[in-house]
Amino acid sequence: MRATTVFTVDPTAIDGELIQRAARVLLSGGLVAFPTETVYGLGANALDALAVRRIFAAKERPAYDPLIVHLADVADLGRIACDIPPLVSDLAAHFWPGPLTLVLPRGADVPPEVTAGGETVAVRVPAHPVAQALICAAGVPIAAPSANRFGRLSPTCAADVLADLDGRIEVLLDGGPTVVGVESTVLSLVGEPVILRPGGVSREALEAILGPLTVSERSVLSAEDLLESPGLLLQHYAPQAPLVLYIGTSSAMRAAYLSEALRYQQSGVLVGLLVADEDLPFLAGQGLLVETAGSAEDLETVARRLFSALRALDAAGAEVILARDFGVTGLGLAIRDRLTRAAGGHVVEVPPLRSER
Ligand code: TXA
Ligand code: MG
């Protein structure tokens, strides 16, 4: 394929002509990457099985991993899903458009390529004005996974998309960096509600409406988990460098990753640290490669910058990345989920320091 055509679109003053051109590409079976509020998506007409197959080829994504279908409005849900439970209208009123994906029984018109042959379909209504404009102009639901190659970090800006997919897709709509920075929360409503993937809508916000929720346990992946949400492979969202995640109190985490970092440094290994602003004073002057994702008190910023901070460490040549944790409150849960997966199970639980016990 030729190089990907990039259209720069200002989300606050959308150029309708560019959106129309991108929509025509979608309707003729092409692939269009576009910004959503979470991460960039790799879109195809969800009702065109051949176009959907091209998504899997471009991403090198295994066919067993189903896609999210994006709609412009909850009113279109009947085109995609059936047996829609009444609580969907409550959830839609609170969270749509926004970073919540619902898993529902599949509608008859959805090609099996979208759902990986399964009887359920994942649906969301994105809030980003460019995504909204594109779906409206195309007039069809858009199937879109994150616009990265399989197993890599999700893209939060146009350059990230090109790094993975240049020449593999027809069009990229560049609407600037994304705001949420981590992917949507995937909530299954088939049977008892369960969070399959923590994301941009917090567990607490969902529980305020639904009551106590379980979060699917994926630290030890079983075959059943893979069938339930096949995208939830533990080694996923990985930077190039191996990553170790430290969990514990701020000072305990810092003491543990700092001594490990200095050990690597002494043996000539380029080690990268993913930390919070609050950690910086303790790391200064030691010649370490450090990226902060923001203040640990401001998880919206940490989520927004998480993937770009990891990419920056990769780009700087880090041979190993040591990352701190940000807790499990609010967006912390999604951040821990992504870091745990990036770590592929290499998680160090640090006990509290003696002074903290
Ligand atoms: O924020 C997001 O969700 C982004 C933007 C582009 O919308 N999309 C995204 O898509 O992250 P993707 O394909 O990278 O992740 C979708 C996740 C996967 O873990 C997949 O296994 C799960 O949703 N999923 C999709 N369909 C499903 C289904 N029918 N049942 C259970 N899980 C499903
Ligand atoms: Mg993805």
Side-chain angles (χ1 to χ4, degrees):
M1 193 195 283
R2 291 179 304 155
T4 297
T5 306
V6 180
F7 295 148
T8 303
V9 184
D10 177 352
T12 63
I14 291 179
D15 181 338
E17 177 51 33
L18 291 179
I19 298 291
Q20 288 295 340
R21 283 166 67 183
R24 283 197 293 273
V25 170
L26 281 176
L27 290 174
S28 63
L31 300 180
V32 175
F34 61 97
T36 81
E37 69 278 26
T38 57
V39 301
Y40 273 72
L42 169 50
N45 175 357
L47 304 178
D48 178 344
L50 282 179
V52 171
R53 273 190 218 168
R54 291 190 57 219
I55 290 180
F56 288 88
K59 269 186 75 99
E60 297 171 24
R61 177 175 172 125
Y64 60 72
D65 194 2
L67 306 178
I68 296 173
V69 177
H70 297 70
L71 301 173
D73 196 284
V74 61
D76 301 329
L77 198 54
R79 292 178 78 177
I80 289 302
C82 62
D83 300 330
I84 298 164
L87 64 88
V88 166
S89 39
D90 252 17
L91 290 169
H94 278 88
F95 301 111
W96 278 355
L100 177 67
T101 294
L102 299 178
V103 174
L104 295 165
R106 174 173 79 97
D109 294 342
V110 181
E113 281 79 1
V114 171
T115 66
E119 288 310 310
T120 62
V121 64
V123 191
R124 102 174 173 94
V125 176
H128 197 289
V130 173
Q132 279 281 336
L134 180 66
I135 303 166
C136 289
V140 293
I142 297 182
S146 50
N148 52 288
R149 294 231 208 141
F150 185 70
R152 303 255 186 99
L153 294 167
S154 290
T156 54
C157 67
D160 295 347
V161 177
L162 284 181
D164 273 14
L165 299 175
D166 194 11
R168 293 172 171 239
I169 58 178
E170 279 79 11
V171 170
L172 162 59
L173 294 175
D174 178 355
T178 62
V179 178
V180 178
V182 291
E183 302 85 343
S184 63
T185 301
V186 180
L187 177 71
S188 172
L189 296 178
V190 180
E192 278 301 294
V194 47
I195 296 176
L196 299 179
R197 177 179 73 180
V201 169
S202 71
R203 171 188 194 160
E204 293 88 336
L206 290 172
E207 288 185 333
I209 292 168
L210 298 174
L213 281 174
T214 44
V215 181
S216 147
E217 180 54 72
R218 284 151 302 132
S219 46
V220 188
L221 264 188
S222 64
E224 288 89 322
D225 288 327
L226 279 178
L227 287 178
E228 194 187 354
S229 193
L232 304 178
L233 297 166
L234 201 49
Q235 182 78 39
H236 203 131
Y237 305 101
Q240 319 265 347
L243 183 146
V244 183
L245 172 63
Y246 288 79
I247 297 181
T249 65
S250 299
S251 20
M253 286 189 285
R254 198 186 297 130
Y257 69 67
L258 182 55
S259 71
E260 187 71 351
L262 294 173
R263 207 179 55 77
Y264 273 119
Q265 195 182 38
Q266 265 157 27
S267 50
V269 174
L270 181 54
V271 54
L273 299 179
L274 177 84
V275 303
D277 289 352
E278 291 83 352
D279 300 314
L280 293 176
F282 299 89
L283 306 170
Q286 315 205 51
L288 292 163
L289 172 60
V290 176
E291 276 290 329
T292 174
S295 165
E297 303 292 314
D298 176 7
L299 295 180
E300 288 190 6
T301 298
V302 173
R304 180 163 65 240
R305 288 167 45 181
L306 181 69
F307 292 151
S308 60
L310 291 171
R311 281 177 188 260
L313 291 171
D314 265 342
E319 293 168 270
V320 57
I321 295 172
L322 311 182
R324 65 159 282 168
D325 177 58
F326 292 85
V328 291
T329 306
L331 285 172
L333 189 64
I335 294 165
R336 177 177 292 183
D337 175 83
R338 303 310 185 268
L339 287 173
T340 304
R341 294 193 216 188
H346 293 117
V347 177
V348 179
E349 293 201 33
V350 192
L353 302 179
R354 195 188 302 170
S355 57
E356 295 176 317
R357 270 178 236 154

mmCIF file of all heavy atoms in Angstrom, residues 216-250:
data_model
loop_
_atom_site.group_PDB
_atom_site.id
_atom_site.type_symbol
_atom_site.label_atom_id
_atom_site.label_comp_id
_atom_site.label_asym_id
_atom_site.label_seq_id
_atom_site.Cartn_x
_atom_site.Cartn_y
_atom_site.Cartn_z
ATOM 1 N N SER A 216 -12.802 -8.575 36.678
ATOM 2 C CA SER A 216 -12.284 -9.867 36.241
ATOM 3 C C SER A 216 -10.815 -10.004 36.632
ATOM 4 O O SER A 216 -10.005 -9.107 36.393
ATOM 5 C CB SER A 216 -12.517 -9.970 34.735
ATOM 6 O OG SER A 216 -11.515 -10.700 34.126
ATOM 7 N N GLU A 217 -10.475 -11.112 37.251
ATOM 8 C CA GLU A 217 -9.128 -11.321 37.809
ATOM 9 C C GLU A 217 -8.229 -11.891 36.722
ATOM 10 O O GLU A 217 -8.443 -12.996 36.251
ATOM 11 C CB GLU A 217 -9.230 -12.287 38.989
ATOM 12 C CG GLU A 217 -7.921 -12.599 39.658
ATOM 13 C CD GLU A 217 -7.181 -11.343 40.090
ATOM 14 O OE1 GLU A 217 -7.634 -10.707 41.060
ATOM 15 O OE2 GLU A 217 -6.167 -11.019 39.448
ATOM 16 N N ARG A 218 -7.223 -11.122 36.328
ATOM 17 C CA ARG A 218 -6.391 -11.598 35.237
ATOM 18 C C ARG A 218 -4.928 -11.709 35.595
ATOM 19 O O ARG A 218 -4.099 -11.907 34.746
ATOM 20 C CB ARG A 218 -6.562 -10.700 34.014
ATOM 21 C CG ARG A 218 -7.861 -10.960 33.312
ATOM 22 C CD ARG A 218 -8.351 -9.722 32.615
ATOM 23 N NE ARG A 218 -8.514 -8.633 33.569
ATOM 24 C CZ ARG A 218 -8.055 -7.435 33.385
ATOM 25 N NH1 ARG A 218 -7.416 -7.139 32.314
ATOM 26 N NH2 ARG A 218 -8.239 -6.512 34.296
ATOM 27 N N SER A 219 -4.620 -11.525 36.902
ATOM 28 C CA SER A 219 -3.213 -11.651 37.270
ATOM 29 C C SER A 219 -2.759 -13.089 37.029
ATOM 30 O O SER A 219 -1.618 -13.327 36.680
ATOM 31 C CB SER A 219 -2.990 -11.236 38.719
ATOM 32 O OG SER A 219 -3.963 -11.824 39.534
ATOM 33 N N VAL A 220 -3.687 -14.057 37.229
ATOM 34 C CA VAL A 220 -3.394 -15.431 36.846
ATOM 35 C C VAL A 220 -4.393 -15.789 35.748
ATOM 36 O O VAL A 220 -5.550 -16.015 36.009
ATOM 37 C CB VAL A 220 -3.569 -16.398 38.029
ATOM 38 C CG1 VAL A 220 -3.062 -17.782 37.655
ATOM 39 C CG2 VAL A 220 -2.868 -15.880 39.249
ATOM 40 N N LEU A 221 -3.915 -15.787 34.523
ATOM 41 C CA LEU A 221 -4.840 -15.995 33.410
ATOM 42 C C LEU A 221 -5.155 -17.477 33.218
ATOM 43 O O LEU A 221 -4.278 -18.313 33.139
ATOM 44 C CB LEU A 221 -4.209 -15.483 32.123
ATOM 45 C CG LEU A 221 -4.594 -14.091 31.704
ATOM 46 C CD1 LEU A 221 -4.053 -13.818 30.318
ATOM 47 C CD2 LEU A 221 -6.094 -13.919 31.707
ATOM 48 N N SER A 222 -6.431 -17.750 33.119
ATOM 49 C CA SER A 222 -6.836 -19.124 32.828
ATOM 50 C C SER A 222 -7.415 -19.167 31.418
ATOM 51 O O SER A 222 -7.702 -18.138 30.821
ATOM 52 C CB SER A 222 -7.901 -19.563 33.820
ATOM 53 O OG SER A 222 -9.050 -18.776 33.650
ATOM 54 N N ALA A 223 -7.598 -20.343 30.908
ATOM 55 C CA ALA A 223 -8.177 -20.500 29.583
ATOM 56 C C ALA A 223 -9.564 -19.875 29.540
ATOM 57 O O ALA A 223 -9.948 -19.246 28.559
ATOM 58 C CB ALA A 223 -8.244 -21.972 29.214
ATOM 59 N N GLU A 224 -10.316 -19.991 30.650
ATOM 60 C CA GLU A 224 -11.665 -19.403 30.679
ATOM 61 C C GLU A 224 -11.598 -17.892 30.513
ATOM 62 O O GLU A 224 -12.394 -17.302 29.808
ATOM 63 C CB GLU A 224 -12.373 -19.724 31.998
ATOM 64 C CG GLU A 224 -12.800 -21.155 32.142
ATOM 65 C CD GLU A 224 -11.721 -22.016 32.772
ATOM 66 O OE1 GLU A 224 -10.515 -21.807 32.472
ATOM 67 O OE2 GLU A 224 -12.063 -22.872 33.557
ATOM 68 N N ASP A 225 -10.622 -17.258 31.196
ATOM 69 C CA ASP A 225 -10.495 -15.811 31.079
ATOM 70 C C ASP A 225 -10.248 -15.423 29.629
ATOM 71 O O ASP A 225 -10.784 -14.445 29.124
ATOM 72 C CB ASP A 225 -9.322 -15.294 31.913
ATOM 73 C CG ASP A 225 -9.623 -15.363 33.397
ATOM 74 O OD1 ASP A 225 -10.792 -15.185 33.742
ATOM 75 O OD2 ASP A 225 -8.692 -15.614 34.165
ATOM 76 N N LEU A 226 -9.419 -16.207 28.967
ATOM 77 C CA LEU A 226 -9.094 -15.882 27.587
ATOM 78 C C LEU A 226 -10.337 -15.960 26.721
ATOM 79 O O LEU A 226 -10.529 -15.151 25.830
ATOM 80 C CB LEU A 226 -8.039 -16.846 27.053
ATOM 81 C CG LEU A 226 -6.618 -16.491 27.457
ATOM 82 C CD1 LEU A 226 -5.656 -17.532 26.933
ATOM 83 C CD2 LEU A 226 -6.251 -15.127 26.906
ATOM 84 N N LEU A 227 -11.200 -16.923 26.995
ATOM 85 C CA LEU A 227 -12.420 -17.038 26.201
ATOM 86 C C LEU A 227 -13.364 -15.893 26.523
ATOM 87 O O LEU A 227 -14.035 -15.355 25.664
ATOM 88 C CB LEU A 227 -13.102 -18.381 26.478
ATOM 89 C CG LEU A 227 -12.361 -19.559 25.855
ATOM 90 C CD1 LEU A 227 -13.061 -20.863 26.202
ATOM 91 C CD2 LEU A 227 -12.309 -19.393 24.337
ATOM 92 N N GLU A 228 -13.376 -15.481 27.803
ATOM 93 C CA GLU A 228 -14.303 -14.448 28.236
ATOM 94 C C GLU A 228 -13.969 -13.112 27.571
ATOM 95 O O GLU A 228 -14.818 -12.401 27.080
ATOM 96 C CB GLU A 228 -14.220 -14.320 29.751
ATOM 97 C CG GLU A 228 -15.341 -13.535 30.358
ATOM 98 C CD GLU A 228 -15.087 -13.322 31.851
ATOM 99 O OE1 GLU A 228 -14.109 -13.881 32.376
ATOM 100 O OE2 GLU A 228 -15.849 -12.589 32.451
ATOM 101 N N SER A 229 -12.723 -12.722 27.572
ATOM 102 C CA SER A 229 -12.294 -11.495 26.900
ATOM 103 C C SER A 229 -10.905 -11.739 26.343
ATOM 104 O O SER A 229 -9.899 -11.491 26.982
ATOM 105 C CB SER A 229 -12.284 -10.319 27.860
ATOM 106 O OG SER A 229 -12.161 -9.125 27.115
ATOM 107 N N PRO A 230 -10.884 -12.256 25.133
ATOM 108 C CA PRO A 230 -9.635 -12.797 24.596
ATOM 109 C C PRO A 230 -8.517 -11.777 24.476
ATOM 110 O O PRO A 230 -7.364 -12.141 24.380
ATOM 111 C CB PRO A 230 -10.050 -13.294 23.209
ATOM 112 C CG PRO A 230 -11.531 -13.390 23.246
ATOM 113 C CD PRO A 230 -11.995 -12.359 24.212
ATOM 114 N N GLY A 231 -8.878 -10.461 24.519
ATOM 115 C CA GLY A 231 -7.823 -9.458 24.415
ATOM 116 C C GLY A 231 -7.040 -9.297 25.690
ATOM 117 O O GLY A 231 -6.065 -8.559 25.738
ATOM 118 N N LEU A 232 -7.472 -9.969 26.740
ATOM 119 C CA LEU A 232 -6.878 -9.722 28.034
ATOM 120 C C LEU A 232 -5.657 -10.593 28.280
ATOM 121 O O LEU A 232 -5.506 -11.191 29.324
ATOM 122 C CB LEU A 232 -7.930 -9.943 29.120
ATOM 123 C CG LEU A 232 -9.180 -9.072 28.918
ATOM 124 C CD1 LEU A 232 -10.213 -9.360 29.989
ATOM 125 C CD2 LEU A 232 -8.840 -7.601 28.912
ATOM 126 N N LEU A 233 -4.805 -10.687 27.305
ATOM 127 C CA LEU A 233 -3.555 -11.404 27.489
ATOM 128 C C LEU A 233 -2.680 -10.637 28.462
ATOM 129 O O LEU A 233 -2.650 -9.419 28.455
ATOM 130 C CB LEU A 233 -2.819 -11.530 26.151
ATOM 131 C CG LEU A 233 -3.550 -12.324 25.095
ATOM 132 C CD1 LEU A 233 -2.913 -12.101 23.736
ATOM 133 C CD2 LEU A 233 -3.522 -13.792 25.441
ATOM 134 N N LEU A 234 -1.966 -11.364 29.309
ATOM 135 C CA LEU A 234 -1.178 -10.668 30.324
ATOM 136 C C LEU A 234 -0.077 -9.817 29.676
ATOM 137 O O LEU A 234 0.164 -8.694 30.049
ATOM 138 C CB LEU A 234 -0.586 -11.688 31.294
ATOM 139 C CG LEU A 234 -0.178 -11.122 32.639
ATOM 140 C CD1 LEU A 234 -1.278 -10.289 33.250
ATOM 141 C CD2 LEU A 234 0.201 -12.242 33.578
ATOM 142 N N GLN A 235 0.611 -10.388 28.696
ATOM 143 C CA GLN A 235 1.658 -9.612 28.020
ATOM 144 C C GLN A 235 1.005 -8.793 26.920
ATOM 145 O O GLN A 235 0.820 -9.245 25.803
ATOM 146 C CB GLN A 235 2.710 -10.550 27.431
ATOM 147 C CG GLN A 235 3.867 -9.833 26.751
ATOM 148 C CD GLN A 235 4.866 -9.276 27.738
ATOM 149 O OE1 GLN A 235 5.155 -9.904 28.732
ATOM 150 N NE2 GLN A 235 5.379 -8.085 27.465
ATOM 151 N N HIS A 236 0.614 -7.585 27.242
ATOM 152 C CA HIS A 236 -0.131 -6.746 26.324
ATOM 153 C C HIS A 236 0.185 -5.320 26.727
ATOM 154 O O HIS A 236 0.575 -5.084 27.845
ATOM 155 C CB HIS A 236 -1.622 -7.035 26.517
ATOM 156 C CG HIS A 236 -2.444 -6.677 25.315
ATOM 157 N ND1 HIS A 236 -3.353 -7.538 24.774
ATOM 158 C CD2 HIS A 236 -2.499 -5.579 24.555
ATOM 159 C CE1 HIS A 236 -3.930 -6.969 23.726
ATOM 160 N NE2 HIS A 236 -3.428 -5.776 23.578
ATOM 161 N N TYR A 237 0.034 -4.380 25.845
ATOM 162 C CA TYR A 237 0.360 -2.991 26.140
ATOM 163 C C TYR A 237 1.815 -2.878 26.557
ATOM 164 O O TYR A 237 2.152 -2.156 27.475
ATOM 165 C CB TYR A 237 -0.523 -2.442 27.286
ATOM 166 C CG TYR A 237 -1.989 -2.583 27.044
ATOM 167 C CD1 TYR A 237 -2.724 -3.578 27.630
ATOM 168 C CD2 TYR A 237 -2.635 -1.686 26.193
ATOM 169 C CE1 TYR A 237 -4.075 -3.694 27.398
ATOM 170 C CE2 TYR A 237 -3.981 -1.798 25.946
ATOM 171 C CZ TYR A 237 -4.697 -2.811 26.563
ATOM 172 O OH TYR A 237 -6.025 -2.929 26.326
ATOM 173 N N ALA A 238 2.676 -3.629 25.936
ATOM 174 C CA ALA A 238 4.056 -3.684 26.408
ATOM 175 C C ALA A 238 4.939 -2.687 25.685
ATOM 176 O O ALA A 238 4.864 -2.543 24.467
ATOM 177 C CB ALA A 238 4.601 -5.088 26.214
ATOM 178 N N PRO A 239 5.795 -1.979 26.442
ATOM 179 C CA PRO A 239 6.875 -1.247 25.773
ATOM 180 C C PRO A 239 7.864 -2.264 25.224
ATOM 181 O O PRO A 239 7.745 -3.461 25.460
ATOM 182 C CB PRO A 239 7.472 -0.412 26.904
ATOM 183 C CG PRO A 239 7.091 -1.108 28.164
ATOM 184 C CD PRO A 239 5.857 -1.914 27.888
ATOM 185 N N GLN A 240 8.875 -1.795 24.478
ATOM 186 C CA GLN A 240 9.867 -2.723 23.921
ATOM 187 C C GLN A 240 10.729 -3.317 25.031
ATOM 188 O O GLN A 240 11.062 -4.489 25.003
ATOM 189 C CB GLN A 240 10.780 -2.005 22.919
ATOM 190 C CG GLN A 240 10.080 -1.024 22.009
ATOM 191 C CD GLN A 240 9.704 -1.636 20.686
ATOM 192 O OE1 GLN A 240 10.167 -2.710 20.350
ATOM 193 N NE2 GLN A 240 8.854 -0.965 19.938
ATOM 194 N N ALA A 241 11.098 -2.469 25.993
ATOM 195 C CA ALA A 241 11.965 -2.937 27.082
ATOM 196 C C ALA A 241 11.148 -3.740 28.085
ATOM 197 O O ALA A 241 9.985 -3.435 28.314
ATOM 198 C CB ALA A 241 12.601 -1.734 27.781
ATOM 199 N N PRO A 242 11.761 -4.761 28.687
ATOM 200 C CA PRO A 242 11.050 -5.454 29.766
ATOM 201 C C PRO A 242 10.782 -4.486 30.914
ATOM 202 O O PRO A 242 11.591 -3.585 31.162
ATOM 203 C CB PRO A 242 12.024 -6.563 30.184
ATOM 204 C CG PRO A 242 13.342 -6.203 29.616
ATOM 205 C CD PRO A 242 13.095 -5.300 28.434
ATOM 206 N N LEU A 243 9.649 -4.655 31.567
ATOM 207 C CA LEU A 243 9.244 -3.714 32.615
ATOM 208 C C LEU A 243 8.988 -4.463 33.914
ATOM 209 O O LEU A 243 8.445 -5.566 33.903
ATOM 210 C CB LEU A 243 7.991 -2.967 32.145
ATOM 211 C CG LEU A 243 7.413 -1.875 33.048
ATOM 212 C CD1 LEU A 243 6.820 -0.740 32.212
ATOM 213 C CD2 LEU A 243 6.335 -2.431 33.977
ATOM 214 N N VAL A 244 9.409 -3.858 35.012
ATOM 215 C CA VAL A 244 9.127 -4.405 36.341
ATOM 216 C C VAL A 244 8.286 -3.370 37.079
ATOM 217 O O VAL A 244 8.616 -2.185 37.102
ATOM 218 C CB VAL A 244 10.425 -4.685 37.132
ATOM 219 C CG1 VAL A 244 10.094 -5.318 38.483
ATOM 220 C CG2 VAL A 244 11.365 -5.576 36.333
ATOM 221 N N LEU A 245 7.158 -3.811 37.646
ATOM 222 C CA LEU A 245 6.260 -2.908 38.384
ATOM 223 C C LEU A 245 6.474 -3.086 39.884
ATOM 224 O O LEU A 245 6.488 -4.214 40.388
ATOM 225 C CB LEU A 245 4.810 -3.219 38.018
ATOM 226 C CG LEU A 245 3.734 -2.496 38.843
ATOM 227 C CD1 LEU A 245 3.819 -0.977 38.641
ATOM 228 C CD2 LEU A 245 2.349 -3.012 38.467
ATOM 229 N N TYR A 246 6.649 -1.951 40.589
ATOM 230 C CA TYR A 246 6.805 -1.969 42.045
ATOM 231 C C TYR A 246 5.514 -1.502 42.678
ATOM 232 O O TYR A 246 4.965 -0.466 42.297
ATOM 233 C CB TYR A 246 7.968 -1.052 42.457
ATOM 234 C CG TYR A 246 9.304 -1.645 42.084
ATOM 235 C CD1 TYR A 246 9.768 -1.576 40.778
ATOM 236 C CD2 TYR A 246 10.071 -2.319 43.025
ATOM 237 C CE1 TYR A 246 10.964 -2.158 40.413
ATOM 238 C CE2 TYR A 246 11.277 -2.896 42.678
ATOM 239 C CZ TYR A 246 11.721 -2.818 41.374
ATOM 240 O OH TYR A 246 12.907 -3.397 41.020
ATOM 241 N N ILE A 247 5.012 -2.261 43.652
ATOM 242 C CA ILE A 247 3.788 -1.897 44.365
ATOM 243 C C ILE A 247 4.101 -1.800 45.855
ATOM 244 O O ILE A 247 4.752 -2.675 46.419
ATOM 245 C CB ILE A 247 2.674 -2.939 44.121
ATOM 246 C CG1 ILE A 247 2.302 -2.977 42.628
ATOM 247 C CG2 ILE A 247 1.440 -2.617 44.967
ATOM 248 C CD1 ILE A 247 1.204 -3.955 42.279
ATOM 249 N N GLY A 248 3.631 -0.721 46.491
ATOM 250 C CA GLY A 248 3.857 -0.543 47.927
ATOM 251 C C GLY A 248 3.621 0.908 48.300
ATOM 252 O O GLY A 248 3.112 1.687 47.480
ATOM 253 N N THR A 249 3.995 1.299 49.519
ATOM 254 C CA THR A 249 3.883 2.714 49.887
ATOM 255 C C THR A 249 4.894 3.499 49.047
ATOM 256 O O THR A 249 5.863 2.925 48.533
ATOM 257 C CB THR A 249 4.198 2.931 51.374
ATOM 258 O OG1 THR A 249 5.579 2.598 51.595
ATOM 259 C CG2 THR A 249 3.305 2.070 52.262
ATOM 260 N N SER A 250 4.677 4.820 48.937
ATOM 261 C CA SER A 250 5.545 5.642 48.082
ATOM 262 C C SER A 250 7.011 5.465 48.451
ATOM 263 O O SER A 250 7.860 5.251 47.577
ATOM 264 C CB SER A 250 5.198 7.122 48.206
ATOM 265 O OG SER A 250 3.901 7.338 47.797
#
